[in-house]
Amino acid sequence: MSSKPEIISLLTNPGIIAVVRAQKAEQVPPVSEALIAGGILAIEITMTTPGALAAIRGVRDQIGDRALLGVGTVLEAQTCRAALQAGAQFLVTPICRTELVAIAHAANCPIMLGAYTPTEAQVAHEAGADFVKIFPADSLGPAYIKALRAPLPHLRLVPTGGVDLHNLADFLQAGCAAVGVGSSLVSAKILQEANWPELTRRSHEFVESAKAARKA
């Protein structure tokens, strides 16, 4: 099993975290395979996916060390512990639930706490969060990230919500540690049509865009 520093390194390089809100648990294995084929190294299965924890448990054996599997939309301690027992390699919550940090770290697992304001982001950092999820990021944009990091450069920010191929480079160049990419990558249409080749193609586009932004 990877150590926490190794997992953090994989989450930030190339820095694309695929946020998967599957319509049914059976979609999780083919979605994961399609994302991996496109170069995605971090996959977050949200708790809004039916049977999310069972799906994580099953797909962990299937993909092995080829990618990281995490659990998102973790809202309280019981779900946090259940996600860890299911084999989650990183945990994500859209809210600033600071009591989850100790649970995650006791299992040597990185955790991302949600925030929207500078105060929330700093509170998450002081609580020990490995990353701060800026959510929803669509109404804030890369300029907000740049402004936030000016007085708070120590924050490892991961904007989620509204990140797409058009603004991905701007978010990364504003100083984000990574980005969470949801429907602009794993769209409802792709899920409905089981169009896994298209998902792989999109994944490759996002990965290449991230790599180019890191070099710029």
Side-chain angles (χ1 to χ4, degrees):
M1 184 177 174
S2 300
S3 67
K4 192 169 78 161
E6 288 171 337
I7 294 171
I8 289 172
S9 177
L10 288 170
L11 288 171
T12 55
N13 184 23
I16 305 292
I17 301 171
V19 181
V20 179
R21 295 183 179 88
Q23 298 156 343
K24 47 191 175 182
E26 306 89 84
Q27 293 172 327
V28 173
V31 164
S32 299
E33 291 289 359
L35 291 167
I36 293 167
I40 300 286
L41 301 178
I43 303 168
E44 173 193 331
I45 310 299
T46 70
M47 283 299 297
T48 55
T49 297
L53 296 179
I56 286 269
R57 200 176 288 113
V59 85
R60 271 295 306 274
D61 292 335
Q62 179 180 321
I63 69 171
D65 294 329
R66 290 181 290 140
L68 297 172
L69 276 179
V71 175
T73 325
V74 177
L75 302 180
E76 30 68 35
Q78 183 178 349
T79 302
C80 185
R81 293 189 179 95
L84 291 167
Q85 290 171 357
Q89 293 166 288
F90 63 96
L91 298 171
V92 183
T93 174
I95 55 179
C96 194
R97 189 70 77 192
T98 57
E99 64 268 25
L100 302 182
V101 174
I103 300 171
H105 287 179
N108 199 31
C109 181
I111 185 167
M112 191 182 303
L113 295 185
Y116 192 75
T117 67
T119 297
E120 290 171 349
Q122 180 63 19
V123 167
H125 170 75
E126 290 177 5
D130 301 284
F131 298 95
V132 179
K133 172 178 178 171
I134 300 298
F135 175 81
D138 52 353
S139 60
L140 299 174
Y144 177 80
I145 299 295
K146 191 173 182 180
L148 183 60
R149 291 193 75 252
L152 304 169
H154 51 278
L155 298 180
R156 285 197 282 198
L157 304 176
V158 181
T160 306
V163 179
D164 57 31
L165 282 169
H166 300 292
N167 58 25
L168 170 62
D170 291 334
F171 271 115
L172 291 176
Q173 288 167 1
C176 294
V179 293
V181 186
S183 59
S184 63
L185 174 60
V186 190
S187 69
K189 187 171 186 286
I190 283 177
L191 291 172
Q192 289 164 0
E193 297 176 355
N195 192 348
W196 312 136
E198 171 62 12
L199 181 53
T200 293
R201 186 193 67 78
R202 285 195 193 183
S203 300
H204 181 72
E205 277 190 325
F206 272 94
V207 168
E208 291 305 307
S209 180
K211 287 179 178 177
R214 296 290 198 197
K215 292 176 183 176

